Amino acid sequence: MKVGEAVAKILKMEGFEYIVGFPLNHLVESAAKEDIRFIKTRTERVAINMIDAVARVTGGNKLGVSVSQHNQGVENAYSGIAQAWDDSTPLLFLPMAPPKRRVTMQPSFSAAKNLDGITKWVDTMYFPEQVTEKMRRAFTYLRSGRPGPVVVEIPVDLYNEEFNDASFNYKPVKRLRSAGDPADVRDAVKALLAAKNPIIRAGQGILFAGATDELVEFSELTAIPVFTTLNGKSGFPENHP
């Protein structure tokens, strides 16, 4: 099987029903063979905005993936990736990269180099045997810790290289959850109850954690007023007394 086919199979195993983007990207054809629909947009920025929205409206329970051509395609997606980084929105971007021998040469635009400051993790895939390793790591970053955009660029000449079928041992990545240390939680509650004018500023984390009911119960129990950030809207009922 080809590298592009292996990546498409992984996306199918991870539950993706469609990819969003702007041609040309060789992954589109491989994804179609896995019955993954391609949704074409007018610009790469819009494609990133669309998969950003998928994560927001589902509370992070469903992720979106976008593709683009190399160089200008990645450049055009930059502002969308930056917004997702600023708002801590999980999304996967799989742009093409220039041929392997030209990835870091001017005027090629290196995603790994230029998106490093606005992504949770970004890397370049250079060899067929890196497919499962890079994709597994990408989904581990997507499904653990503070949410954010993850990017893996794939050189245009790598898509059609042969991938050893026998080494395809990919398993979908489970979502990792963490909890606060009980002692720290007790200290936080003590500090909050001792405060003279406490207030709760609730953000998007309430939505991604599905913790609205718990937040309402806590605020009612302590009689502490709540306001939300812009990204946290609907995380607490706006008409609550």
Side-chain angles (χ1 to χ4, degrees):
M1 117 179 83
K2 306 291 186 182
V3 167
E5 295 172 340
V7 174
K9 285 183 180 296
I10 289 173
L11 293 179
K12 186 69 173 182
M13 294 172 68
E14 290 288 357
F16 287 94
E17 300 173 357
Y18 54 84
I19 55 178
V20 185
F22 188 84
L24 172 73
N25 187 290
H26 294 328
L27 187 57
V28 172
E29 298 297 331
S30 299
K33 295 177 182 178
E34 294 294 329
D35 197 29
I36 298 177
R37 176 189 175 195
F38 177 58
I39 301 175
K40 185 175 74 171
T41 60
R42 290 183 180 272
T43 67
E44 293 84 355
R45 167 65 191 262
V46 170
I48 298 298
N49 289 157
M50 287 175 65
I51 62 172
D52 180 300
V54 170
R56 292 178 193 255
V57 300
T58 63
N61 291 318
K62 194 170 185 179
L63 300 176
V65 57
S66 179
V67 299
S68 78
Q69 61 180 312
H70 57 283
N71 292 347
Q72 294 90 341
V74 184
E75 293 172 18
N76 293 339
Y78 189 98
S79 57
I81 297 292
Q83 181 180 350
W85 168 252
D86 190 55
D87 290 344
S88 297
T89 306
L91 58 83
L92 179 62
F93 184 39
L94 300 175
M96 282 206 305
K100 288 182 287 186
R101 62 185 177 84
R102 298 190 61 86
V103 167
T104 59
M105 296 177 62
Q106 289 186 328
S108 297
F109 188 87
S110 169
K113 180 179 179 180
N114 292 283
L115 302 184
D116 183 61
I118 56 169
T119 53
K120 188 173 181 181
W121 182 68
V122 56
D123 206 352
T124 306
M125 192 182 296
Y126 285 103
F127 308 103
E129 54 267 27
Q130 292 180 317
V131 172
T132 54
E133 173 195 348
K134 299 282 187 183
M135 294 301 291
R136 183 178 293 112
R137 183 167 296 187
F139 281 104
T140 298
Y141 275 103
L142 279 169
R143 296 196 169 118
S144 62
R146 186 186 183 98
V150 171
V151 179
V152 180
E153 62 174 348
I154 307 174
V156 62
D157 53 349
L158 181 62
Y159 279 94
N160 288 318
E161 289 192 21
E162 289 293 334
F163 179 86
N164 184 1
D165 293 23
S167 64
F168 188 83
N169 58 354
Y170 188 87
K171 293 182 179 180
V173 176
K174 294 182 179 180
R175 184 176 182 180
L176 301 179
R177 294 186 174 185
S178 59
D181 185 286
D184 292 338
V185 173
R186 284 194 296 269
D187 289 343
V189 170
K190 289 179 181 178
L192 191 60
L193 294 179
K196 293 182 178 179
N197 297 295
I199 190 168
I200 297 173
R201 179 174 180 265
Q204 186 172 235
I206 295 295
L207 297 171
F208 279 13
T212 292
D213 291 342
E214 288 82 356
L215 176 60
V216 170
E217 181 181 3
F218 181 75
S219 65
E220 290 176 344
L221 181 65
T222 57
I224 298 176
V226 179
F227 78 96
T228 62
T229 64
L230 182 61
N231 290 331
K233 290 296 182 185
S234 79
F236 189 86
E238 299 289 334
N239 61 349
H240 194 287

